[in-house]
Every structure is written in C-alpha cells, then in structure tokens.
C-alpha cells in the first residue's frame, strides 16, 4: 500500500511541476510585455508633451489634443506601473523556477526510495508533508496568498516541513559510520554556514530589497509627476509644465527599465532562496546530529559525502574548512572562507 501511495504522490508532483513550469512562462511573458508596454506609453506621452510645447499656442485644437492624450497616457502608465511593482513579475518567475526545481528534486528522491528502499507509511507521510510545505512556500495564486514582495527584511525561504528534533545527551557510539571527529566536523561546518554564508546572503538580499523598494516607489512617482505636468499644460501654456512632463517621463522610463529589465525583484528572490538553502542545510545537519539513536541516523560517511556535494567541495576540502573554523574560533580571528563553493 505504501508503494501505491508513493506512486500517487509522484503523480501529484508531476502535475505540480507542469503547473509551475507553465505559470512561470506566463509570468515571464507578463514581465516582458508590461515592461515594453509601459515604456512605450511613457515615452510616447513624453514625446507628445514635447511636441505640444514646441508647436506653440497658435495651432489650437490639435495641440490641445496632444496635451490631453499625453496626460491620459501618463496617468495610465502610473496605474499600470503601480500594479506591476506590486506583483513583481520577475520575482514571481523566480519563485516558479525554484518551485519546479524543488519538486523535481523531491520527485527524484521518491523514485530512488522506490527503487532501492522498502517504503513504509512514514515515508508516505513524509513525502506528503514535503509536498504541502512546497505548496505553502511557493503559492500559485496571486490573490490572498501571494508572498510579500516588500517585507521589512529578508527572511530565508522555508520549503521543508518543520519538525522538533529530539535533544540527545547520549554518548555517540562508534558505529553506522559515525565518529566523534565526524560529529565535530559537521558542527564546525554548521558554524561556518551560519557565520559566513547565511549572513552574507541575508546582507546582500537586504540590499537588493531596499533597492527594489526605492525603484518601485520612484517609478510611479515620476509618472505621476509627469501626468500632473501634462495636466497643467492643458490648463496653461507654461513651458515649465512641459519640461516637467518630458523630463519626469524620461526618468520614469529609465527607472522602470532598470527595475524590471534588470529584474531586481528576481535578484532579491534568488538571495532569499539561497539563504533558505543554507538554513535548510543547518537544520538538516543539526537534526541528524541530535538524533538519539545512532542506528536511526543516516550513515555518517554517506551523510558527509552528501554535505560535501551540496557545498561543492571534496571530502578533504570539507574537513579543511572545519579545521579552519575550529582554529579561527580558538584564536579569536575571523574566518576568511565560505562553506559553499557553488554560489
């Protein structure tokens, strides 16, 4: 029955992979189409305002039409830009990319279990919890459950079920591939991840977040100023109103291109997921080390190899990092090396 249930979970995962892939492509199209459309509207409105101001007063109705059209287009660009900055399409795309990758990773783990293991009901429950945790971490709908695109500070992504690991005071036996030296090595690796990798990605993520907040505020503000300038052109013939409309429109187009063309939201989401990756590694290593029964732990040598591969290091390099971390703490000197060599 456990085998049949795991195959049912695999079918659900395959469906989710397809959904996240399709929706990711759709939201990537949103980013491109909205960016191009808003920039075209903004630049066209700025051109109209400039032409109307250069043509002069004597032309009459045709100039008034240009002024009105410019004002309407700037107003429309402001509304569209507010919506685009609210949902951050490039960030949504990165969320779907990560969800697709993680669902495929879970799919591969379950297939491996079916091939080389003997699944039980606990494996089924664990797989279902992981699927639901991924659903919560990367929601598909936009309304109601969309992730906050502008949090107060970066919080690492969490896509795994949270469990309380039992604390152990039991002496570690020299079996199942585990030794005291390996346990100390894993604890030092966790310390390096906390002090270097996680801290660095949270710092960079907060910088990207602050930049995105500034750009998301500046774009609609500039198009709004341009719309007001165009409106004053309609009621008066002040050259300053035309200048404000043209310059603010051009600046708005530049800011919008930098924010969404440069995909600043995607960069923030990438840092958030990288911070989540390191948090997941920390919790995985700590929960394994805190397991009371050594026989229930994953084989120590296999676990060490997996940690090394996840960090992009060989076994000897991983041990060297642990030794450097231990020496730096004893001597009170800063650690000058990161745990991960992948990113």
């Amino acid at each position: 029955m456990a085998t049949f249930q795991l195959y049912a979970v695999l079918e659900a995962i395959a469906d989710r992979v397809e959904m996240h892939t399709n929706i990711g492509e759709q939201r990537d199209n949103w980013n491109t189409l909205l960016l191009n459309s808003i920039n075209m509207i903004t630049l066209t409105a700025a051109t109209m305002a400039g032409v109307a101001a250069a043509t002069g007063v004597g032309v009459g109705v045709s100039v008034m039409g240009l002024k009105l059209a410019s004002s309407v287009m700037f107003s429309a660009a402001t509304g569209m830009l507010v919506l685009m900055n609210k949902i951050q399409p490039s960030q949504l795309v990165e969320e779907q990319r990560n969800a697709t990758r993680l669902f495929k990773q879970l799919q591969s783990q379950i297939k491996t279990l079916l091939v080389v293991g003997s699944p039980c009901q606990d494996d089924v429950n664990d797989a279902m919890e992981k699927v639901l945790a991924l659903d919560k971490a990367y929601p598909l709908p936009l309304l109601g459950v969309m992730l906050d695109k502008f949090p107060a500070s970066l919080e690492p992504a969490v896509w795994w079920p949270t469990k309380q690991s039992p604390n152990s005071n039991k002496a570690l036996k020299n079996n199942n591939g585990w030794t005291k030296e390996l346990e100390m090595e894993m604890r030092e690796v966790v310390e390096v991840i906390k002090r270097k990798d996680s801290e660095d990605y949270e710092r960079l993520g907060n910088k990207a977040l602050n930049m995105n907040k500034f750009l998301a505020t500046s774009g609609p503000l500039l198009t709004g100023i341009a719309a007001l300038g165009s409106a004053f052109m309609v009621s008066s013939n002040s050259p300053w109103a035309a200048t404000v409309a043209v310059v603010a429109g051009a600046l708005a187009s530049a800011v919008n291109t930098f924010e969404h063309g440069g995909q600043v939201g995607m960069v923030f989401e990438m840092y958030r997921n990288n911070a989540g990756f390191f948090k997941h590694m920390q919790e995985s290593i700590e929960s394994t080390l805190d397991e009371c029964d050594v026989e229930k732990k994953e084989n120590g040598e296999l676990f060490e190899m997996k940690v090394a591969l996840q960090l992009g290091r060989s076994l000897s390099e991983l041990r060297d990092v642990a030794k450097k971390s231990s020496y730096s703490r004893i001597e009170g000197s800063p650690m000058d090396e990161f745990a991960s060599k992948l990113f």
Side-chain angles (χ1 to χ4, degrees), residues 64-260:
M64 181 60 68
L66 288 175
K67 293 177 180 179
L68 285 171
S70 173
S71 181
V72 170
M73 293 178 77
F74 275 132
S75 300
T78 302
M80 293 173 67
L81 197 49
V82 167
L83 176 63
M84 188 178 186
N85 289 347
K86 175 70 176 175
I87 64 174
Q88 291 289 315
S90 67
Q91 191 170 339
L92 290 173
V93 174
E94 185 66 13
E95 289 173 15
Q96 306 314 313
R97 289 194 195 106
N98 282 295
T100 301
R101 179 179 64 83
L102 292 168
F103 271 118
K104 286 182 177 179
Q105 186 181 80
L106 178 58
Q107 189 178 43
S108 177
Q109 290 170 358
I110 294 174
K111 286 180 178 179
T112 302
L113 176 63
L114 288 168
V115 171
V116 302
S118 53
C120 61
Q121 190 60 41
D122 287 342
D123 296 319
V124 176
N125 295 338
D126 184 58
M128 290 186 66
E129 286 178 3
K130 288 180 178 179
V131 170
L132 295 176
L134 276 169
D135 286 341
K136 183 179 179 181
Y138 300 102
L140 288 169
L142 291 180
L143 299 177
V145 294
M146 183 178 72
L147 297 178
D148 185 7
K149 298 300 180 283
F150 301 101
S153 62
L154 182 142
E155 291 291 336
V158 178
W159 59 82
W160 57 94
T162 54
K163 293 181 180 179
Q164 294 294 329
S165 299
N167 293 323
S168 172
N169 296 320
K170 183 180 177 180
L172 183 65
K173 297 178 181 178
N174 188 10
N175 57 10
N176 196 22
W178 285 95
T179 63
K180 273 289 184 184
E181 291 75 16
L182 178 56
E183 181 185 1
M184 293 303 300
E185 176 191 334
M186 290 294 105
R187 293 195 187 281
E188 290 297 337
V189 169
V190 169
E191 284 300 315
V192 177
I193 291 174
K194 285 181 180 177
R195 286 187 291 155
K196 296 294 292 183
D197 301 75
S198 293
E199 185 178 320
D200 190 58
Y201 273 99
E202 287 180 16
R203 177 181 60 83
L204 292 172
N206 282 317
K207 285 186 176 181
L209 174 62
N210 292 331
M211 178 183 290
N212 201 28
K213 285 180 178 178
F214 173 75
L215 294 172
T217 304
S218 301
L221 181 63
L222 287 168
T223 53
I225 291 172
L228 288 174
S230 276
F232 279 113
M233 284 177 62
V234 175
S235 58
S236 67
N237 293 309
S238 171
W240 287 106
T243 303
V244 167
V246 173
V247 172
L251 285 173
S253 181
V255 167
N256 188 37
T257 300
F258 183 75
E259 181 186 6
H260 297 291

